[in-house]
Structures are given as structure tokens and as C-alpha cells.
Amino acid sequence: MPEEPTAVSQAKAWLVSQSGSLTGIRHELGDVLTRVGRGPGNDVIIQGPDVACVSLQHLEIRREGAGFLIRDLESTNGTYLNGERITEAELHAPATIQLGSQGPELAFVTEEPVSAELDRTLVIPEGIRGPASPAGTYENLLSAAVARARHARSKGFGDQTLTIMRETLLTALRHTSRRLHLLIVVLAAGLVAVTGAAAWKITALNHEKRSIDQRIHEIETQLQRTAGSPSESDRLISQLATYQNQAEQLEHSLLYRIGPHEEDFLTHEIRTLMAEFGAEVYSVPPDFAHRVGHYVEQYQGPDRPLVTRVLSGAAPQIKVMRQVLAEEQLPPDLAYIPLVESALAPQQPSTAGALGPWQLTPATARAYGLRVDNQVDERLDLTKATRASCRYLRALILDFGAGSSVMLALAAYNLGPSKVKQAVIATVRDPIKQRNFWYLYRVNALPKETREYVPKVVAAMIIGRHPRRFGF
């Protein structure tokens, strides 16, 4: 039955992959916002050999009336529109978008691509044409085919799956020798899994994951009630780890990744940050997520003038700090620590004598290379203070450990490493658990100031990554 005509018809637009093994894949833009990046939460997920140039959340395209606006999401390698690096710009078709100066290219079009372009044969990775590893070839080719099938399904083109499978197989056969025919058989088996015949399995996996998530939620609730009992807490956390491992394995399975999935935005962003810190965490304690949400609301409410000033007037300072952090091989989002520490009002010293955007005490500043005396105070120099803070953060990370324990280093930046250690050692004797932030958080081993400081910084990072979403 034809659809009833509407008063206003929204113009359609597409992104068409122009490079790598996903060449020719189309992505129809959403009604309001389309995000592009290599992270699983994006509308357009970038894959392939050039993905190292792409940030987890690289850019977004927003409909503005009858037009489009493209905005770089403070990506590490930048966004280029028709060869020029942009922060934000109007988007007019036809246009070429490149993620990083050497990264993947996307064509922006408002006329539906002809079928020859939509169904362009996949470009086979170089390895399949020569004596490259069959395993590596299989991974690349299968990932490309799955990506095409998944995007086709998400845009309502489920009938393209068999076409994708057929073309991928034909292309592989044209470029492979007899000794790799076995590889093609394996590939065929993998591609069959993404056809409609596998729909029942995808449904079963979704049901299984919901059951695991429900069990995790129940254990988290019990942990909040039994935090005062170390033995009971340890037993529950052991169970929690088992279910988390099961859920993570299920998430990484091929069939599960094909289907659409929903996740709470804040929880997803916390997990994304943890992945960037080197520790992807499946289950975030509900109390931690709640505190992050609390501080997001506080930044949107009573502290709105402060955040608005930092994100607008102090934007150049944030950019400088992000650049220095990237140069020092630290997560650029740590640039939002000064929002919590000083609100980038560096002239106001704390009661402990800390000064500057990073609120360094005189002793800490001197220990990490800054000059602080009656004539000069380099804590007020943004670049020098940021480099000193990077050295301090690096030392804390090396002290407390990487992964989720980066959060302990973050807490120690504010509270001081000795106070954090004293609080932990007083309640937890296991040297491994003493370096695991999430364990310490769940058993209430951390000082209250630490339990509040970390989600406050995480909330600032999330708002800094998505200012428009939160009204800034």
C-alpha cells in the first residue's frame, strides 16, 4: 500500500564509501543526526585497513532545515571536507569527506546512487592476491561482507544479503589460486550465517544476552546491599565476572554483531571511555552510572554558566590541552579534568595552595619540572602546566596500573596518591584487588571524595564529547 503524502518531504542523502574493502557501500543519513566513527555505537561504523586514522566517534552530520551541517567530534586526526580540514561546516552535495588526512573517504550525495555504484564489487584485500596468510585474508573479506550485510539490513535492504554473498564469492574466486579454494569454502559458510536463515539464531542470542544482563543486574543489586561483608562481596563479584565474560563473548560473536542493539547512552559512553583508557568494561556499577548522571544534570543546571564558559570561551585552551595530551600518548579527554579542578579560572588558588588550570601544588609542580618562585609561576602557563600534569598523570598510572585502574590514578590526581593508598590498604589486603577500580568501588573501599570526584570528571568528559546533545 503506498504511503500517504506528507506536507513536507525530507530530502534524502547518502554517504558512499570510497576507499578500502568497503568501497561502494551506501549509508542513508538519519532523520536528525548521523554519527560516524569506528566505535560500535555509531550510525556509520568505519572498518578496514585505514581504521587507525578514525576516532571512536569521529564526526557527525546533522540536518539543519533543508540542508546539512558536518561537525568534527574533536577527532585525533581531524575531518577533511573537499580537502580542507574543518571543525564545523555546511555540507553541500556532491562532496568528499575524509577521516584524517590519510584515512578513509566517504562521498556525500543527495541523488540516490545508481545500482552499479550501490552494488559495487568489494575490493579484495591485497593479501588474497598473493602468498598472504589465509587467516588474515578471511578475516578482512568476511568483515567487509558482514559490514555490507549489516548496513543493508539496518536501512531496510534485507534482500541485498544474497547479492553481497554472491559478489564477494565471485570476487574472491577471481583473485585466488586453487590452494586458497578451501578459504573460499570457509568464507561461504561464514556468509551464509548472515542470510535470513540465521535470523532464528540472532533472536536466540539476543534472548540469551537479555538473560545474562538481567542476572548481572541482580548481582549488582545484591552487591549494593552486602558491601559491608567482604566474603559475600567477593563471592558475588566472582559470579559477576563469570557473567560479564559470557556477555562479552556473546557480544563479539559474528551473528550477534549483525543485529540491532540498544544501550543506555551514559552507560555506553562510560564503556567507550574505559575502552580508550585500555580497559573495556562490560558491566558498569549502577551507582557509578547514577552519579555520572547526577553530575551531568548538575552541569546542565546550577553549573551551566561554568560549563558554557569552558566549552565556548575556553574552547581554544581545551584544544591546546587535548593536543598536548595526545602528544604525550595520554587520552585527550583528560583535558576536561581542569573543568572540574579549576573551571579554567587559574588565578584562583585553592586552600592547599594549588594554582593554575590543573591546580598543581607548588611541591608537585616543582617535582614535574615547573618553575615556581617569587618571580615566576609556570603553573599559570597553560602548555607548560599541561605537560607537567601529563608527567604527573603518567607517574600515577604507572603506580596504580593501567586499564580500569586509570580511574584510581584519576582519583589520586585530586586526592593525592598516599591518601588513596591508605584508604584502600585499610580495607583490602589483596594486592591485585587493590589496583582494580571497579572492585574497590563496588565494595565501598574508596574514600567518599574519590567516589564522587571520578564520576564528576567522567560526566565532564561525556558532555565535552557531546555538547549539543546536552544543550551546550
Side-chain angles (χ1 to χ4, degrees):
M1 181 181 294
E3 295 181 358
E4 295 182 4
T6 55
V8 178
S9 180
Q10 203 170 41
K12 289 188 175 183
W14 292 265
L15 294 176
V16 182
S17 299
Q18 297 291 293
S19 57
S21 60
L22 304 184
T23 298
I25 295 178
R26 63 178 178 180
H27 318 272
E28 185 174 350
L29 269 62
D31 294 337
V32 179
L33 186 68
T34 301
R35 289 194 173 89
V36 181
R38 60 181 171 86
N42 293 284
D43 302 294
V44 178
I45 302 172
I46 303 298
Q47 298 176 334
D50 297 329
V51 75
C53 300
V54 183
S55 295
L56 284 171
Q57 292 181 320
H58 199 103
L59 64 89
E60 66 180 21
I61 297 175
R62 181 182 297 272
R63 291 182 182 268
E64 296 284 347
F68 296 88
L69 190 70
I70 181 171
R71 187 168 74 92
D72 180 76
L73 297 177
E74 297 184 340
S75 63
T76 301
N77 295 300
T79 297
Y80 292 79
L81 178 61
N82 297 326
E84 294 186 7
R85 185 164 183 169
I86 56 98
T87 300
E88 185 173 281
E90 293 183 359
L91 188 57
H92 302 284
T96 299
I97 302 167
Q98 189 169 20
L99 287 68
S101 60
Q102 305 295 323
E105 290 186 358
L106 300 168
F108 171 74
V109 296
T110 51
E111 293 184 3
E112 185 165 5
V114 297
S115 58
E117 184 176 17
L118 291 179
D119 298 326
R120 183 180 303 165
T121 301
L122 286 171
V123 176
I124 300 301
E126 288 294 327
I128 203 167
R129 299 174 186 164
S133 164
T137 301
Y138 166 72
E139 288 292 337
N140 289 336
L141 194 54
L142 181 58
S143 294
V146 169
R148 291 189 70 185
R150 181 176 181 180
H151 284 294
R153 286 164 59 89
S154 68
K155 298 303 181 183
F157 297 99
D159 57 343
Q160 288 190 6
T161 302
L162 290 176
T163 300
I164 292 168
M165 180 175 66
R166 185 190 68 250
E167 292 186 351
T168 303
L169 289 174
L170 289 176
T171 304
L173 286 170
R174 284 200 300 269
H175 292 282
T176 187
S177 61
R178 289 183 178 179
R179 61 180 178 152
L180 291 181
H181 281 182
L182 179 59
L183 180 151
I184 304 303
V185 174
V186 176
L187 174 64
L191 289 176
V192 166
V194 302
T195 65
W200 66 271
K201 180 61 175 177
I202 294 173
T203 302
L205 288 173
N206 285 332
H207 177 74
E208 181 182 353
K209 183 170 180 299
R210 283 194 295 270
S211 297
I212 295 173
D213 286 344
Q214 178 61 32
R215 186 64 185 129
I216 287 174
H217 177 74
E218 292 170 357
I219 294 174
E220 292 277 17
T221 301
Q222 292 179 56
L223 273 168
Q224 290 179 321
R225 296 171 181 166
T226 61
S229 171
S231 59
E232 180 64 10
S233 294
D234 283 355
R235 185 185 68 80
L236 290 171
I237 288 175
S238 178
Q239 290 183 6
L240 183 66
T242 300
Y243 284 111
Q244 286 176 339
N245 289 336
Q246 292 177 7
E248 286 179 339
Q249 290 176 8
L250 191 152
E251 275 193 336
H252 293 152
S253 67
L254 176 63
L255 288 178
Y256 181 83
R257 285 185 286 143
I258 294 171
H261 312 290
E262 295 183 1
E263 184 179 33
D264 172 75
F265 179 78
L266 280 180
T267 300
H268 170 75
E269 286 301 302
I270 295 169
R271 290 181 66 187
T272 299
L273 282 169
M274 289 300 98
E276 293 181 8
F277 288 168
E280 187 174 357
V281 173
Y282 181 80
S283 176
V284 176
D287 184 54
F288 184 88
H290 173 74
R291 297 311 295 166
V292 172
H294 166 77
Y295 285 113
V296 166
E297 292 177 359
Q298 185 167 308
Y299 288 140
Q300 290 177 301
D303 291 342
R304 171 174 287 276
L306 180 153
V307 178
T308 300
R309 180 177 62 79
V310 169
L311 294 181
S312 56
Q317 295 168 268
I318 294 288
K319 184 176 181 180
V320 168
M321 291 187 291
R322 288 180 65 88
Q323 182 176 345
V324 172
L325 284 157
E327 291 171 359
E328 297 290 339
Q329 302 297 309
L330 289 171
D333 284 319
L334 294 177
Y336 294 104
I337 290 177
L339 187 154
V340 178
E341 288 286 344
S342 67
L344 287 173
Q347 301 292 340
Q348 300 178 7
S350 71
T351 54
L355 190 66
W358 291 87
Q359 288 292 282
L360 297 170
T361 63
T364 301
R366 294 190 188 101
Y368 291 96
L370 295 184
R371 179 181 172 186
V372 180
D373 53 38
N374 293 333
Q375 285 76 40
V376 177
D377 194 334
E378 291 184 333
R379 292 178 295 173
L380 297 174
D381 184 304
L382 181 65
T383 302
K384 290 182 179 180
T386 302
R387 291 204 183 277
S389 295
C390 285
R391 290 190 286 271
Y392 184 30
L393 284 165
R394 187 183 300 278
L396 291 172
I397 291 171
L398 291 172
D399 191 12
F400 283 97
S404 64
S405 294
V406 168
M407 309 277 267
L408 278 179
L410 191 63
Y413 184 92
N414 172 259
L415 188 62
S418 60
K419 290 184 180 179
V420 172
K421 288 178 181 178
Q422 289 169 7
V424 172
I425 292 172
T427 53
V428 183
R429 299 299 179 183
D430 189 321
I432 302 299
K433 294 173 181 176
Q434 287 171 1
R435 297 165 67 86
N436 187 309
F437 176 82
W438 294 119
Y439 175 87
L440 298 170
Y441 192 91
R442 285 185 169 99
V443 300
N444 286 316
L446 297 170
K448 181 174 176 56
E449 183 177 349
T450 304
R451 289 177 63 87
E452 294 301 309
Y453 177 78
V454 176
K456 193 172 186 179
V457 172
V458 170
M461 291 177 178
I462 292 173
I463 289 178
R465 294 162 76 107
H466 308 281
R468 291 193 176 186
R469 183 184 182 97
F470 296 101
F472 293 99

